Amino acid sequence: MDMELRHLRCLVAIVETGSFTDAAIELGVSQAAVSRTLLSLEEILGVRLLHRTSRSVTPTATGVRVLARARQLLAEADDLVAEATTGHTRLRIGHAWSAMGRHTAEFQRRWAVLHPDIELRLIRTNSATGGLAEGICDLAVARAAFDERRFASAVVGRERRYCALAADDPWAKRRSLGLEEVRARTILIDRRTGTTTAGLWPDGARPTVEYTQDIDDWLALIATGRSIGITPQSTVSQYRRHGIVFRPLRDAPPIAVRLIWPRHDPHPATDAAVTLLTELYQPPR
C-alpha cells in the first residue's frame, strides 16, 4: 500500500484538533474514515503514531517525528499546487549575481506599480543562465555567454567594466586602470558565471588567471590581495564589501546586459519586463 497525502492530512488534523471527531469535521469525512485512514498510515509505516485514551490523543515519540515531516511535505505539496494554478500571475526572474545592478530596487518598485496583478520574484542561482536552464525561473538576467539556440534574448543595457582590488592594494589609490597594465597581475575568473575571459587581451599578451566558481569566493580571494578581478558595474552596486575597492577600466569594452527566455512558450510578461528594464538602463538625458 502506498502512502498518500490524505494519510498525512489525516494525521495532522487529528493532532491539531485533538480528537478523531473534530478531525472528521475539519476534513469533511466520517469519524470511521478518519480512524481507517490513520490505521492505514500506521500499517504503511509499521509504527504506532498516536497514543489514544478516552480523553486525549497525543503523538508517540515516532509520531512527533513523522508529524513534523508530514507538515513539511504537505506545505511543499500546497506550494506545488499554487505554483501550477497561479499560472502567469507570477514572474520569476533569475540571475547568477547582481540582478539588475543599481536598477534592481527601482525595477521592483516600478513593476509593482505597473503590474500589480503579476507578482515579481528575483531568484539567484549560481548557473550561467541564472536558473533558466534548470527551470527555476521564467526570465533571467545574463551577462555571460548562453545557448542562443535554446534561449531568445534582448539587450536591455550595457555596463562598464571595473577592476576589483584589495583595499590596501597600491592601485586602490588610482582613479582608473588600463587593460595593458592589469595583465601583469593574476586575474581571478569565475569559471561558471563570470563575464571575464582571457580573450580580453590579444594572443601572446594574456595575463595569468586563476579560477573560482562563486561570487563570494571570488570576493574573498581578491580581499587577500593575491589577485584582482574584472567585473561589470552591477557588481560594484550590489557587492560593496569591506576590504574591496572597485576602479573603472578605462579602455575595456562594456558588457551587454540581456534578458533571456525560452524560445518556446515564453512568459506573457516577457515584453513588459524587457521594456521596463531597457528604460531603466537608458542614460539620463
Side-chain angles (χ1 to χ4, degrees):
M1 185 182 299
D2 294 328
M3 184 171 60
E4 302 174 9
L5 290 178
R6 64 185 180 88
H7 292 110
L8 304 181
R9 294 192 191 281
C10 179
L11 173 64
V12 172
I14 294 171
V15 174
E16 290 185 347
T17 63
S19 73
F20 282 68
T21 301
D22 291 338
I25 294 172
E26 181 173 301
L27 296 172
V29 299
S30 67
Q31 183 176 336
V34 170
S35 297
R36 287 195 300 270
T37 302
L38 178 67
L39 179 61
S40 175
L41 178 59
E42 290 179 327
E43 290 177 349
I44 292 169
L45 298 177
V47 294
R48 187 174 181 180
L49 299 174
L50 298 178
H51 292 300
R52 309 167 181 85
T53 68
S54 59
R55 295 185 178 182
S56 66
V57 177
T58 57
T60 63
T62 301
V64 170
R65 296 193 297 271
V66 173
L67 182 65
R69 184 68 175 132
R71 285 180 171 136
Q72 180 181 353
L73 291 172
L74 290 172
E76 291 175 356
D78 290 342
D79 287 344
L80 176 62
V81 172
E83 182 72 26
T85 56
T86 53
H88 296 134
T89 62
R90 177 182 299 156
L91 177 64
R92 303 166 301 170
I93 300 183
H95 61 99
W97 39 266
S98 297
M100 296 94 170
R102 63 188 178 91
H103 305 298
T104 302
E106 185 63 20
F107 183 90
Q108 292 173 299
R109 284 193 290 265
R110 290 197 192 182
W111 186 269
V113 172
L114 296 171
H115 308 283
D117 55 332
I118 304 177
E119 177 191 0
L120 175 66
R121 289 190 180 181
L122 299 184
I123 303 170
R124 183 190 167 199
T125 304
N126 192 34
S127 76
T129 62
L132 190 62
E134 293 79 7
I136 298 172
C137 55
D138 306 299
L139 296 169
V141 181
R143 295 177 176 86
F146 57 90
D147 187 350
E148 297 186 16
R149 297 168 300 177
R150 185 176 177 185
F151 303 112
S153 70
V155 176
V156 295
R158 298 184 185 279
E159 293 176 344
R160 190 176 186 180
R161 294 179 195 256
Y162 280 71
C163 184
L165 307 157
D168 59 355
D169 191 291
W171 284 358
K173 299 178 182 179
R174 300 272 298 277
R175 296 184 63 182
S176 66
L177 299 165
L179 278 177
E180 174 62 23
E181 58 185 329
V182 300
R183 76 179 182 88
R185 303 284 295 271
T186 298
I187 310 294
L188 192 63
I189 293 178
D190 184 336
R191 188 194 297 270
R192 180 177 296 175
T193 64
T195 56
T196 302
T197 69
L200 273 176
W201 295 268
D203 289 338
R206 292 180 172 173
T208 301
V209 300
E210 293 182 0
Y211 295 101
T212 184
Q213 297 192 19
D214 181 83
I215 181 73
D216 292 312
D217 292 341
W218 182 83
L219 289 167
L221 288 172
I222 290 172
T224 66
R226 191 164 57 87
S227 53
I228 63 175
I230 296 175
T231 191
Q233 185 176 2
S234 54
T235 307
V236 181
S237 302
Q238 297 290 90
Y239 288 93
R240 293 187 179 277
R241 185 168 299 189
H242 180 72
I244 298 284
V245 297
F246 297 91
R247 296 293 178 262
L249 279 173
R250 55 181 175 268
D251 55 352
I255 292 173
V257 182
R258 292 179 169 86
L259 276 180
I260 64 174
W261 60 88
R263 288 192 175 276
H264 304 291
D265 194 27
H267 193 287
T270 296
D271 287 344
V274 170
T275 299
L276 177 55
L277 194 52
T278 301
E279 290 176 358
L280 291 174
Y281 266 98
Q282 289 297 315
R285 295 180 180 178

